Amino acid sequence: MRQHTEDAMTAITPHRSKGRPRTFDRAQALHSALEVFWKRGYEPATMGELCSVMGINPPSLYAAFGNKASLFMEAVEHYETTYWAAPWRLLDEEPNLRVAVGRFMTEAAAVLTSLDAPCGCMVVLGTANVSPEAQDVHDALRALREVSRTNFRKRFERALDAGDLPLGTDVATLASTFNTLLQGLSVQARDGAARAELERIAEASLALLPHAGSGAPADGRGRP
């Protein structure tokens, strides 16, 4: 759930195949792999299962995607680009802070409960049953989760500069709070919460935003 992944993808770079074009639809293959990883978890998912749902044989899979870890991270990248790029863009581009946060959280509720996407966020919940041998996958997803926190913080810093948040607002803690809430929505979605329920939580989250001029005590983090 983030806007950019360039730094976070450093630990495991998705394999970029070279040579003659292949006959399968790469995006569809990634979406199929994503479903297997989501239902089974990274570690239990077998290469046989992945080849079966992707409609390719093992040599073609390795040639196109490299190893299992690279396939997983490219599937996650596909998930992030397909489902989360637009919500993060809305948060970044909408000038009104409360409208921006409200729309983002509402869009998040829609994504997390969509029938077309895995229930809950792959970045939050995608490393179930990860062994020590796959620690690099866990570390890569942890880095992606940190990008979400950074996105929130940058947006709140802009709001502070624009006077949409009171002087002294602890934007770092506020960003962590919303990031934690977003991760909590993922868990709720995975447990079967309906979209309407998540939307009510999204609406309630706006109460966490302090109003400009509310006189929040300075703590050294606000602008002078």
Coordinates of all heavy atoms in Angstrom, one line a residue, residues 127-217:
T127 N 3.1 -12.2 4.0 CA 4.3 -13.0 4.4 C 4.0 -14.0 5.5 O 4.8 -14.3 6.3 CB 5.4 -12.1 4.9 OG1 4.9 -11.1 5.9 CG2 6.1 -11.3 3.8
A128 N 2.7 -14.5 5.4 CA 2.4 -15.6 6.4 C 3.2 -16.8 6.1 O 3.5 -17.1 4.9 CB 0.9 -15.9 6.2
N129 N 3.6 -17.5 7.2 CA 4.4 -18.7 7.0 C 5.7 -18.5 6.3 O 6.1 -19.4 5.5 CB 3.6 -19.8 6.3 CG 2.3 -20.1 7.0 OD1 2.2 -20.2 8.2 ND2 1.2 -20.1 6.2
V130 N 6.4 -17.4 6.6 CA 7.7 -17.2 6.0 C 8.8 -17.8 6.9 O 8.9 -17.5 8.0 CB 8.0 -15.7 5.8 CG1 9.4 -15.5 5.3 CG2 7.0 -15.1 4.8
S131 N 9.7 -18.6 6.3 CA 10.7 -19.3 7.0 C 11.9 -18.4 7.0 O 12.0 -17.4 6.3 CB 11.1 -20.6 6.3 OG 11.7 -20.3 5.0
P132 N 12.9 -18.7 7.9 CA 14.1 -17.9 8.0 C 14.9 -17.8 6.6 O 15.5 -16.8 6.3 CB 15.0 -18.6 9.0 CG 14.0 -19.3 9.9 CD 12.9 -19.7 9.0
E133 N 14.7 -18.9 5.8 CA 15.4 -18.9 4.5 C 14.8 -17.8 3.6 O 15.5 -17.4 2.6 CB 15.3 -20.3 3.9 CG 16.1 -21.3 4.6 CD 15.5 -21.8 5.9 OE1 14.3 -21.5 6.1 OE2 16.3 -22.4 6.7
A134 N 13.6 -17.4 3.9 CA 12.9 -16.4 3.0 C 12.8 -15.0 3.7 O 12.0 -14.2 3.4 CB 11.5 -16.9 2.6
Q135 N 13.8 -14.8 4.6 CA 13.8 -13.5 5.3 C 13.9 -12.3 4.4 O 13.4 -11.2 4.7 CB 14.9 -13.5 6.3 CG 14.9 -12.3 7.3 CD 13.7 -12.2 8.2 OE1 13.2 -13.3 8.6 NE2 13.2 -11.0 8.5
D136 N 14.5 -12.5 3.2 CA 14.6 -11.4 2.3 C 13.3 -10.9 1.8 O 13.0 -9.7 1.6 CB 15.6 -11.7 1.2 CG 15.2 -13.0 0.5 OD1 14.3 -13.7 1.0 OD2 15.8 -13.3 -0.6
V137 N 12.3 -11.9 1.6 CA 11.0 -11.5 1.2 C 10.3 -10.7 2.3 O 9.7 -9.7 2.1 CB 10.2 -12.8 0.9 CG1 8.7 -12.4 0.6 CG2 10.8 -13.5 -0.3
H138 N 10.4 -11.2 3.5 CA 9.8 -10.5 4.7 C 10.4 -9.1 4.8 O 9.6 -8.1 5.0 CB 10.1 -11.3 6.0 CG 9.6 -10.6 7.2 ND1 8.3 -10.6 7.6 CD2 10.3 -9.8 8.1 CE1 8.2 -9.9 8.7 NE2 9.4 -9.5 9.1
D139 N 11.7 -8.9 4.7 CA 12.3 -7.6 4.8 C 11.9 -6.7 3.7 O 11.7 -5.5 3.9 CB 13.9 -7.8 4.7 CG 14.4 -8.5 6.0 OD1 13.7 -8.6 7.0 OD2 15.6 -8.9 5.9
A140 N 11.7 -7.2 2.5 CA 11.3 -6.4 1.3 C 9.9 -5.9 1.6 O 9.6 -4.7 1.3 CB 11.3 -7.2 0.0
L141 N 9.0 -6.7 2.1 CA 7.6 -6.3 2.3 C 7.5 -5.3 3.5 O 6.7 -4.4 3.5 CB 6.7 -7.4 2.6 CG 6.4 -8.3 1.4 CD1 5.3 -9.3 1.7 CD2 5.9 -7.5 0.2
R142 N 8.4 -5.5 4.5 CA 8.5 -4.6 5.6 C 8.9 -3.2 5.1 O 8.4 -2.2 5.6 CB 9.4 -5.1 6.7 CG 9.5 -4.1 7.9 CD 10.3 -4.8 9.0 NE 11.7 -5.1 8.6 CZ 12.6 -5.8 9.3 NH1 12.2 -6.2 10.5 NH2 13.8 -6.0 8.8
A143 N 9.8 -3.1 4.2 CA 10.2 -1.9 3.6 C 9.1 -1.2 2.9 O 8.9 0.0 2.9 CB 11.4 -2.1 2.7
L144 N 8.3 -2.0 2.2 CA 7.1 -1.4 1.4 C 6.1 -0.9 2.4 O 5.5 0.2 2.2 CB 6.5 -2.5 0.6 CG 7.3 -3.0 -0.6 CD1 6.5 -4.0 -1.4 CD2 7.6 -1.8 -1.5
R145 N 5.9 -1.5 3.5 CA 5.0 -1.0 4.6 C 5.5 0.3 5.1 O 4.7 1.2 5.4 CB 4.8 -2.0 5.7 CG 4.0 -3.3 5.3 CD 3.6 -4.1 6.4 NE 4.7 -4.7 7.2 CZ 5.3 -5.9 6.9 NH1 4.8 -6.6 5.8 NH2 6.3 -6.4 7.5
E146 N 6.7 0.5 5.2 CA 7.3 1.7 5.7 C 7.1 2.9 4.7 O 6.9 4.0 5.1 CB 8.8 1.6 5.9 CG 9.5 2.8 6.6 CD 8.9 3.2 7.9 OE1 8.4 2.3 8.6 OE2 8.9 4.4 8.3
V147 N 7.0 2.5 3.4 CA 6.7 3.6 2.4 C 5.4 4.2 2.6 O 5.1 5.4 2.4 CB 6.9 3.0 1.0 CG1 6.4 4.0 -0.1 CG2 8.3 2.6 0.7
S148 N 4.4 3.3 3.0 CA 3.0 3.9 3.3 C 3.1 4.9 4.4 O 2.5 6.0 4.3 CB 2.1 2.7 3.7 OG 1.9 1.8 2.6
R149 N 3.8 4.6 5.4 CA 4.0 5.6 6.5 C 4.6 6.9 6.0 O 4.2 8.0 6.4 CB 4.8 5.0 7.6 CG 4.9 5.8 8.9 CD 6.0 5.4 9.8 NE 6.2 3.9 9.9 CZ 5.6 3.2 10.8 NH1 4.8 3.7 11.7 NH2 5.8 1.9 10.8
T150 N 5.6 6.7 5.2 CA 6.3 7.9 4.6 C 5.3 8.7 3.8 O 5.3 10.0 3.8 CB 7.5 7.5 3.8 OG1 8.4 6.8 4.6 CG2 8.2 8.7 3.2
N151 N 4.5 8.1 3.0 CA 3.5 8.8 2.2 C 2.5 9.6 3.0 O 2.3 10.8 2.7 CB 2.7 7.8 1.3 CG 3.5 7.2 0.2 OD1 4.5 7.7 -0.2 ND2 3.0 6.1 -0.3
F152 N 2.1 9.0 4.1 CA 1.2 9.8 5.0 C 1.9 11.0 5.6 O 1.4 12.1 5.7 CB 0.7 8.8 6.2 CG -0.5 8.0 5.8 CD1 -0.4 6.6 5.9 CD2 -1.7 8.6 5.4 CE1 -1.5 5.8 5.6 CE2 -2.8 7.8 5.1 CZ -2.7 6.4 5.2
R153 N 3.2 10.7 6.1 CA 3.9 11.8 6.7 C 4.2 13.0 5.8 O 4.0 14.1 6.2 CB 5.3 11.3 7.2 CG 6.1 12.3 7.9 CD 7.3 11.8 8.7 NE 8.0 12.9 9.4 CZ 8.8 12.7 10.3 NH1 9.1 11.5 10.8 NH2 9.5 13.7 10.9
K154 N 4.5 12.7 4.5 CA 4.8 13.7 3.6 C 3.5 14.6 3.4 O 3.5 15.8 3.3 CB 5.3 13.2 2.3 CG 6.7 12.7 2.3 CD 7.1 12.1 1.0 CE 8.6 11.7 1.0 NZ 9.0 11.1 -0.3
R155 N 2.4 13.9 3.3 CA 1.1 14.6 3.1 C 0.8 15.5 4.3 O 0.3 16.6 4.1 CB -0.1 13.6 2.8 CG -1.4 14.3 2.5 CD -1.3 15.1 1.2 NE -2.5 15.8 0.9 CZ -2.8 17.1 1.4 NH1 -1.9 17.7 2.2 NH2 -3.9 17.7 1.1
F156 N 1.0 15.0 5.5 CA 0.7 15.7 6.7 C 1.7 16.9 6.9 O 1.3 18.0 7.4 CB 0.7 14.8 7.9 CG -0.4 13.8 7.9 CD1 -0.2 12.6 8.5 CD2 -1.6 14.1 7.4 CE1 -1.2 11.6 8.5 CE2 -2.6 13.2 7.4 CZ -2.4 11.9 8.0
E157 N 2.9 16.7 6.4 CA 3.9 17.8 6.5 C 3.5 18.9 5.6 O 3.6 20.1 5.9 CB 5.3 17.3 6.1 CG 5.9 16.5 7.2 CD 7.3 15.9 6.7 OE1 7.5 15.8 5.5 OE2 8.0 15.4 7.6
R158 N 3.0 18.6 4.4 CA 2.5 19.6 3.5 C 1.3 20.3 4.1 O 1.1 21.5 3.9 CB 2.1 19.0 2.1 CG 3.2 18.6 1.2 CD 2.8 17.8 0.0 NE 1.6 18.3 -0.6 CZ 0.7 17.6 -1.2 NH1 0.9 16.3 -1.4 NH2 -0.4 18.2 -1.8
A159 N 0.4 19.6 4.7 CA -0.8 20.2 5.4 C -0.3 21.1 6.5 O -0.9 22.2 6.7 CB -1.7 19.1 5.9
L160 N 0.7 20.8 7.2 CA 1.2 21.6 8.3 C 1.8 22.9 7.7 O 1.5 24.0 8.2 CB 2.3 20.9 9.0 CG 2.8 21.5 10.3 CD1 1.7 21.6 11.3 CD2 4.0 20.7 10.9
D161 N 2.5 22.8 6.6 CA 3.1 24.0 5.9 C 1.9 24.9 5.4 O 2.1 26.1 5.4 CB 4.0 23.6 4.8 CG 5.3 23.0 5.3 OD1 5.7 23.4 6.4 OD2 5.9 22.2 4.6
A162 N 0.9 24.3 4.9 CA -0.3 25.0 4.4 C -1.2 25.6 5.4 O -2.1 26.3 5.1 CB -1.0 24.1 3.4
G163 N -1.0 25.3 6.7 CA -1.8 25.8 7.7 C -3.1 24.9 7.9 O -4.0 25.3 8.6
D164 N -3.1 23.7 7.3 CA -4.3 22.9 7.5 C -4.2 22.0 8.7 O -5.2 21.3 9.1 CB -4.4 21.9 6.3 CG -4.8 22.7 5.0 OD1 -5.4 23.8 5.1 OD2 -4.4 22.3 3.9
L165 N -3.1 22.0 9.4 CA -2.9 21.4 10.7 C -2.3 22.4 11.6 O -1.6 23.3 11.2 CB -1.9 20.2 10.6 CG -2.5 18.9 9.8 CD1 -1.3 17.9 9.7 CD2 -3.6 18.3 10.6
P166 N -2.7 22.3 12.9 CA -2.2 23.3 13.8 C -0.7 23.2 14.1 O -0.1 22.1 14.0 CB -2.9 23.0 15.1 CG -3.4 21.6 15.0 CD -3.6 21.4 13.5
L167 N 0.0 24.3 14.4 CA 1.4 24.3 14.7 C 1.6 23.4 15.9 O 0.8 23.3 16.8 CB 1.8 25.7 15.1 CG 1.9 26.8 14.0 CD1 2.3 28.1 14.6 CD2 2.9 26.4 12.9
G168 N 2.7 22.7 15.8 CA 3.0 21.7 16.9 C 2.4 20.3 16.7 O 2.7 19.4 17.5
T169 N 1.7 20.1 15.6 CA 1.2 18.8 15.3 C 2.3 17.8 15.1 O 3.3 18.1 14.3 CB 0.3 18.8 14.0 OG1 -0.8 19.6 14.2 CG2 -0.2 17.4 13.7
D170 N 2.3 16.7 15.8 CA 3.3 15.7 15.7 C 2.9 14.8 14.4 O 2.2 13.8 14.5 CB 3.3 14.8 16.9 CG 4.4 13.8 16.9 OD1 5.0 13.5 15.8 OD2 4.7 13.2 18.0
V171 N 3.4 15.3 13.3 CA 3.1 14.6 12.0 C 3.6 13.2 11.9 O 3.0 12.4 11.3 CB 3.5 15.5 10.8 CG1 2.8 16.8 10.7 CG2 5.0 15.7 10.8
A172 N 4.7 12.9 12.6 CA 5.3 11.6 12.5 C 4.4 10.6 13.2 O 4.1 9.5 12.7 CB 6.7 11.6 13.2
T173 N 3.9 11.0 14.4 CA 2.9 10.1 15.1 C 1.6 10.0 14.4 O 1.0 8.9 14.3 CB 2.7 10.6 16.5 OG1 4.0 10.6 17.2 CG2 1.7 9.8 17.3
L174 N 1.2 11.1 13.8 CA -0.1 11.1 13.1 C 0.0 10.2 11.9 O -0.9 9.4 11.6 CB -0.4 12.5 12.6 CG -1.9 12.7 12.0 CD1 -2.9 12.4 13.1 CD2 -2.0 14.2 11.5
A175 N 1.2 10.2 11.2 CA 1.4 9.3 10.0 C 1.4 7.8 10.5 O 0.8 7.0 9.8 CB 2.7 9.6 9.3
S176 N 2.0 7.6 11.6 CA 2.1 6.2 12.1 C 0.7 5.7 12.5 O 0.3 4.6 12.3 CB 3.0 6.1 13.3 OG 4.4 6.4 13.0
T177 N -0.1 6.7 13.1 CA -1.5 6.3 13.5 C -2.3 5.9 12.3 O -3.0 4.8 12.3 CB -2.1 7.5 14.2 OG1 -1.4 7.8 15.4 CG2 -3.6 7.2 14.6
F178 N -2.3 6.7 11.2 CA -3.0 6.3 10.0 C -2.5 5.1 9.3 O -3.3 4.3 8.7 CB -3.1 7.5 9.1 CG -4.3 8.5 9.4 CD1 -4.1 9.5 10.3 CD2 -5.5 8.3 8.8 CE1 -5.1 10.4 10.6 CE2 -6.6 9.1 9.1 CZ -6.4 10.2 10.0
N179 N -1.2 4.9 9.3 CA -0.6 3.7 8.7 C -1.1 2.5 9.5 O -1.4 1.4 8.9 CB 0.9 3.8 8.7 CG 1.5 2.8 7.8 OD1 1.1 2.7 6.6 ND2 2.5 2.1 8.2
T180 N -1.1 2.6 10.8 CA -1.5 1.5 11.7 C -3.0 1.2 11.4 O -3.5 0.0 11.3 CB -1.3 1.8 13.1 OG1 0.1 2.0 13.4 CG2 -1.8 0.6 14.0
L181 N -3.8 2.2 11.3 CA -5.2 2.1 11.0 C -5.4 1.4 9.6 O -6.3 0.5 9.5 CB -5.9 3.5 11.0 CG -7.4 3.5 10.7 CD1 -8.2 2.6 11.7 CD2 -7.9 4.9 10.7
L182 N -4.6 1.8 8.6 CA -4.7 1.2 7.3 C -4.4 -0.3 7.4 O -5.1 -1.1 6.8 CB -3.8 1.9 6.4 CG -3.9 1.5 4.9 CD1 -5.3 1.7 4.3 CD2 -2.8 2.3 4.1
Q183 N -3.4 -0.7 8.1 CA -3.0 -2.1 8.3 C -4.1 -2.8 9.0 O -4.5 -4.0 8.7 CB -1.7 -2.2 9.0 CG -0.5 -1.7 8.3 CD 0.8 -1.8 9.0 OE1 0.8 -2.3 10.1 NE2 1.8 -1.2 8.4
G184 N -4.8 -2.1 10.0 CA -5.9 -2.8 10.7 C -7.1 -3.0 9.8 O -7.7 -4.0 10.0
L185 N -7.3 -2.1 8.9 CA -8.4 -2.4 7.9 C -8.1 -3.6 7.1 O -9.1 -4.4 6.7 CB -8.6 -1.1 7.0 CG -9.1 0.1 7.6 CD1 -9.2 1.2 6.5 CD2 -10.5 -0.1 8.2
S186 N -6.9 -3.8 6.8 CA -6.5 -5.0 6.0 C -6.8 -6.3 6.8 O -7.4 -7.3 6.2 CB -5.0 -5.0 5.7 OG -4.7 -4.0 4.8
V187 N -6.5 -6.3 8.1 CA -6.9 -7.5 8.9 C -8.4 -7.7 9.0 O -8.9 -8.8 8.9 CB -6.2 -7.3 10.3 CG1 -6.7 -8.4 11.2 CG2 -4.7 -7.2 10.2
Q188 N -9.1 -6.6 9.2 CA -10.6 -6.7 9.2 C -11.1 -7.2 7.9 O -12.0 -8.0 7.9 CB -11.2 -5.3 9.5 CG -10.9 -4.7 10.9 CD -11.5 -5.6 12.0 OE1 -12.7 -5.8 11.9 NE2 -10.8 -5.9 13.0
A189 N -10.6 -6.8 6.8 CA -11.0 -7.3 5.5 C -10.8 -8.7 5.4 O -11.6 -9.5 4.9 CB -10.4 -6.5 4.4
R190 N -9.6 -9.1 5.8 CA -9.2 -10.6 5.7 C -10.1 -11.4 6.6 O -10.5 -12.6 6.3 CB -7.8 -10.8 6.2 CG -7.2 -12.2 6.1 CD -7.2 -12.7 4.7 NE -6.8 -14.1 4.6 CZ -5.5 -14.5 4.3 NH1 -4.6 -13.5 4.2 NH2 -5.2 -15.7 4.3
D191 N -10.6 -10.8 7.7 CA -11.5 -11.6 8.6 C -13.0 -11.5 8.1 O -13.9 -12.0 8.8 CB -11.4 -11.0 10.0 CG -10.1 -11.4 10.7 OD1 -9.5 -12.3 10.2 OD2 -9.8 -10.8 11.7
G192 N -13.2 -10.9 7.0 CA -14.6 -10.9 6.4 C -15.4 -9.7 6.6 O -16.6 -9.7 6.3
A193 N -14.8 -8.6 7.1 CA -15.6 -7.4 7.3 C -16.1 -6.8 6.0 O -15.5 -6.9 5.0 CB -14.7 -6.3 8.0
A194 N -17.4 -6.3 6.0 CA -18.0 -5.8 4.8 C -17.4 -4.4 4.5 O -16.9 -3.7 5.4 CB -19.5 -5.7 5.0
R195 N -17.6 -4.0 3.2 CA -17.1 -2.7 2.8 C -17.7 -1.6 3.6 O -17.0 -0.6 4.0 CB -17.3 -2.5 1.3 CG -17.0 -1.2 0.8 CD -17.2 -1.1 -0.7 NE -17.0 0.3 -1.2 CZ -17.0 0.6 -2.5 NH1 -17.3 -0.4 -3.4 NH2 -16.8 1.8 -2.9
A196 N -19.0 -1.7 3.9 CA -19.7 -0.6 4.6 C -19.1 -0.4 6.0 O -19.0 0.7 6.5 CB -21.2 -1.0 4.7
E197 N -18.7 -1.5 6.6 CA -18.1 -1.4 7.9 C -16.8 -0.7 7.9 O -16.5 0.1 8.7 CB -18.0 -2.8 8.5 CG -17.4 -2.8 9.9 CD -17.2 -4.2 10.5 OE1 -17.7 -5.2 9.9 OE2 -16.6 -4.4 11.6
L198 N -16.0 -1.1 6.9 CA -14.7 -0.4 6.7 C -14.9 1.1 6.4 O -14.1 1.9 6.8 CB -13.9 -1.1 5.7 CG -13.5 -2.6 5.9 CD1 -12.4 -3.0 4.9 CD2 -13.0 -2.8 7.3
E199 N -15.9 1.4 5.6 CA -16.1 2.8 5.3 C -16.5 3.6 6.5 O -16.2 4.8 6.6 CB -17.2 2.9 4.2 CG -16.8 2.4 2.8 CD -17.9 2.5 1.8 OE1 -19.1 2.5 2.2 OE2 -17.5 2.5 0.6
R200 N -17.3 3.0 7.4 CA -17.6 3.7 8.7 C -16.4 4.0 9.5 O -16.2 5.0 10.1 CB -18.6 2.9 9.5 CG -20.0 2.8 8.9 CD -21.0 2.3 9.9 NE -20.8 0.9 10.2 CZ -21.4 -0.1 9.5 NH1 -22.1 0.2 8.4 NH2 -21.1 -1.4 9.8
I201 N -15.4 3.0 9.5 CA -14.1 3.2 10.2 C -13.4 4.3 9.5 O -12.8 5.2 10.2 CB -13.3 1.9 10.2 CG1 -14.1 0.8 11.0 CG2 -11.9 2.2 10.8 CD1 -13.4 -0.5 11.0
A202 N -13.4 4.3 8.2 CA -12.7 5.4 7.4 C -13.2 6.7 7.8 O -12.5 7.7 7.9 CB -12.8 5.1 5.9
E203 N -14.6 6.9 7.8 CA -15.2 8.1 8.2 C -14.8 8.6 9.6 O -14.5 9.7 9.9 CB -16.7 8.0 8.1 CG -17.4 9.3 8.3 CD -18.9 9.2 8.1 OE1 -19.4 8.1 7.8 OE2 -19.6 10.2 8.4
A204 N -14.8 7.6 10.5 CA -14.4 7.9 11.9 C -13.0 8.3 12.0 O -12.7 9.1 13.0 CB -14.7 6.7 12.8
S205 N -12.1 7.9 11.1 CA -10.7 8.2 11.2 C -10.4 9.7 11.1 O -9.4 10.2 11.5 CB -9.9 7.4 10.2 OG -10.1 7.9 8.9
L206 N -11.4 10.4 10.4 CA -11.2 11.9 10.2 C -11.1 12.6 11.6 O -10.6 13.7 11.6 CB -12.3 12.4 9.3 CG -12.3 11.9 7.9 CD1 -13.4 12.5 7.1 CD2 -10.9 12.1 7.2
A207 N -11.7 12.0 12.6 CA -11.7 12.7 13.9 C -10.3 12.7 14.5 O -10.0 13.5 15.4 CB -12.6 11.9 14.9
L208 N -9.4 11.9 13.9 CA -8.0 11.9 14.4 C -7.2 13.1 13.9 O -6.1 13.4 14.4 CB -7.3 10.6 13.9 CG -7.9 9.3 14.5 CD1 -7.3 8.1 13.7 CD2 -7.7 9.2 16.0
L209 N -7.7 13.8 12.9 CA -7.0 14.9 12.3 C -7.3 16.2 13.2 O -8.5 16.6 13.2 CB -7.5 15.2 10.9 CG -7.1 14.1 9.9 CD1 -7.7 14.4 8.5 CD2 -5.6 14.0 9.7
P210 N -6.3 16.8 13.8 CA -6.6 18.0 14.5 C -6.9 19.2 13.6 O -6.4 19.3 12.5 CB -5.2 18.3 15.3 CG -4.2 17.6 14.4 CD -4.9 16.4 13.8
H211 N -7.8 20.0 14.1 CA -8.2 21.2 13.3 C -7.2 22.3 13.4 O -6.7 22.5 14.5 CB -9.6 21.7 13.7 CG -10.7 20.8 13.4 ND1 -11.4 20.8 12.1 CD2 -11.3 19.8 14.1 CE1 -12.3 19.9 12.1 NE2 -12.3 19.2 13.3
A212 N -7.0 23.0 12.3 CA -6.1 24.1 12.3 C -6.6 25.1 13.3 O -7.8 25.4 13.4 CB -5.9 24.7 10.9
G213 N -5.7 25.7 14.1 CA -6.2 26.7 15.1 C -6.7 26.1 16.4 O -7.2 26.8 17.2
S214 N -6.5 24.8 16.5 CA -7.1 24.1 17.7 C -6.1 24.3 18.9 O -6.4 23.9 20.0 CB -7.3 22.6 17.5 OG -6.1 22.0 17.1
G215 N -4.9 24.8 18.6 CA -4.0 25.0 19.7 C -3.3 23.8 20.2 O -3.1 23.7 21.4
A216 N -2.9 22.9 19.3 CA -2.2 21.7 19.7 C -0.8 22.2 20.3 O -0.2 23.0 19.8 CB -2.0 20.8 18.6
P217 N -0.4 21.6 21.5 CA 0.8 22.0 22.1 C 2.0 21.7 21.2 O 2.1 20.7 20.6 CB 0.8 21.2 23.4 CG 0.0 20.0 23.1 CD -1.1 20.5 22.2

